[in-house]
Amino acid sequence: MKLVLAVIQDADATALVRVLSQNAFEVTKLASTGGFLREGNTTLMIGVDDTRLDELKRHVQRTCRTRTRLVAPSVPMGEQNEGLVGDPVEVPVGGAVMFVMGVQEFIKV
């Protein structure tokens, strides 16, 4: 048995939860914030049998896509008054980060 923590972009959360539910995965959804853009994301807690781990990974990979976004570069505090304005930079966002952990015991009451 494994516990998978999947950190995904909010834009992919509804679709992924639907796909996982349709395929008999039990999912707990947690709101979270993080990443260098400090945007909202979603963390899913998913208990999965070892035999279905690869299937779970495929669903996440197919549903959570990487996108690009234009972001204004940050100016260090000491340089704010120098009058330089940087052009927006295109950065990749989205996709998924998955943490897979072994579960010693699983109890459902």
Side-chain angles (χ1 to χ4, degrees):
M1 181 65 125
K2 303 288 186 211
L3 172 64
V4 176
L5 298 178
V7 182
I8 63 173
Q9 195 171 39
D10 281 344
D12 295 322
T14 301
L16 182 58
V17 169
R18 182 176 51 249
V19 166
L20 295 179
S21 295
Q22 290 170 347
N23 287 278
F25 288 96
E26 294 187 25
V27 180
T28 299
K29 180 179 171 184
L30 306 170
S32 53
T33 303
F36 75 97
L37 296 179
R38 299 289 179 231
E39 293 184 342
N41 53 39
T42 299
T43 301
L44 301 179
M45 292 186 350
I46 309 156
V48 61
D49 190 79
D50 292 351
T51 60
R52 297 193 67 201
L53 183 59
D54 288 337
E55 177 188 357
L56 172 64
K57 290 177 185 178
R58 280 193 302 275
H59 289 305
V60 173
Q61 187 175 26
R62 289 178 186 155
T63 307
C64 299
R65 62 185 184 85
T66 302
R67 305 159 177 82
T68 58
R69 166 182 262 182
L70 289 175
V71 176
S74 297
V75 178
M77 291 297 285
E79 301 173 13
Q80 286 182 351
N81 296 326
E82 293 182 15
L84 298 176
V85 177
D87 292 329
V89 177
E90 192 171 27
V91 296
V93 297
V97 175
M98 297 175 66
F99 300 91
V100 180
M101 298 165 274
V103 174
Q104 184 174 356
E105 185 177 16
F106 172 73
I107 302 169
K108 186 172 183 178
V109 294

